[in-house]
Amino acid sequence: MQILHPFVGSIQQYSEAISDPGRYRPDHCPQCQAKQPLTGHGFYCRTLVDLGFDGVIRVRRYLCLLCKRTVSLLPEFALPWLRFSLTVISLFLVAHFLRGLTLAAAALAASQRAMPYQRGQFWIRRFRRQAEHLCAALAGLAAPPTATTFAIRALHMLESIGWIAAHRFLFAHLRMHLLGWPAFLAPDGRVAALRPAAPPA
Ligand SMILES: [Zn+2]
C-alpha cells in the first residue's frame, strides 16, 4: 500500500533524504498494525513531471515482517498513478476554471508549453467527475463557497485549504484520490478489493 510522505523541499533534496532507510522508517505497520518498525525494502522508480523537472524519482519501500506486505512512501507532491505533480495539475486547473484560460494558455500557466491538449482535457474530465465528492469530503476543512459548478466550488476550497494539505487529508483519512482513482483501483486505491473470489473447487 502507499502512504504519503510529508516532504517539503526540492526533488533533489527529496532524493538525498530518502537514501537513508532509517530516516523516515514507519514505526508500525499501517496494514496489520504490528507495533514494530518496518524493514527497508528498496525502492521503486516512477516518472514525475514538476515545474523544472521531468525525470524519474525513487520511492522508498518498506516491508512488514509480520504480515509480509510492503508499504511505499509516496512523496506528497506526487499523485498516485499520475505522472504530473500536484503543483502542475493544480496550476493548470486553476488557470482554466478560475481564470477562464484556454487549454493552451492554462498549460503555459503550469509551465507545460508543449503539452498536448488531450492531457489537459483528461485532467479537466477527471476533476469535473470528482468535484462533487471533493466538496463533500473537504467540507470539514473549508466552508463551501457559493459557485455555479462543483468544479469551481471545489477549486476555491482547495485553494483555501492548500492543495498538499487537502491531498494529505483525502488520501490519509479517506483513501480518496484528488482526481479520482482509475476504475481498476476504485474505490480506495487498492487492487485487492476488486479481485474476484476464486471459483469453488
Ligand atoms: Zn504488517
Side-chain angles (χ1 to χ4, degrees):
M1 97 185 262
Q2 291 182 320
I3 57 175
L4 285 185
H5 170 43
F7 184 81
V8 179
S10 68
I11 289 174
Q12 175 65 29
Q13 288 166 329
Y14 162 77
S15 301
E16 285 161 16
I18 61 157
S19 294
D20 171 8
R23 186 140 169 204
Y24 300 106
R25 182 192 308 276
D27 63 358
H28 70 279
C29 173
Q31 302 188 90
C32 74
Q33 307 304 329
K35 296 273 182 280
Q36 60 183 48
L38 303 185
T39 302
H41 197 57
F43 299 91
Y44 75 86
C45 291
R46 58 156 284 164
T47 53
L48 182 82
V49 180
D50 193 20
L51 304 179
F53 181 87
D54 184 349
V56 172
I57 61 165
R58 294 192 302 172
V59 175
R60 171 63 78 181
R61 211 162 31 191
Y62 294 92
L63 176 71
C64 170
L65 293 177
L66 214 69
C67 71
K68 310 288 184 212
R69 283 178 289 187
T70 58
V71 174
S72 50
L73 256 58
L74 186 71
E76 60 186 8
F77 50 76
L79 286 162
W81 299 95
L82 287 175
R83 192 155 72 92
F84 288 77
S85 74
L86 188 53
T87 304
V88 169
I89 293 176
S90 63
L91 286 171
F92 176 87
L93 292 174
V94 165
H96 179 68
F97 281 106
L98 298 187
R99 293 165 56 202
L101 301 187
T102 63
L103 295 180
L108 206 57
S111 296
Q112 303 301 313
R113 181 176 296 274
M115 185 171 102
Y117 72 93
Q118 291 93 337
R119 182 173 299 137
Q121 285 180 326
F122 171 70
W123 293 341
I124 288 168
R125 199 166 53 237
R126 278 182 70 168
F127 188 74
R128 276 215 181 100
R129 204 180 298 147
Q130 186 73 341
E132 186 173 353
H133 305 299
L134 291 176
C135 290
L138 297 174
L141 303 184
T146 47
T148 45
T149 67
F150 281 114
I152 290 178
R153 208 176 296 174
L155 278 169
H156 282 299
M157 292 170 86
L158 287 163
E159 287 283 285
S160 85
I161 296 162
W163 287 75
I164 297 263
H167 169 46
R168 191 188 301 140
F169 171 79
L170 294 169
F171 194 83
H173 295 282
L174 309 171
R175 299 295 299 175
M176 193 170 160
H177 193 298
L178 205 113
L179 287 195
W181 292 108
F184 76 104
L185 289 173
D188 65 355
R190 278 176 258 218
V191 180
L194 289 181
R195 283 200 194 112

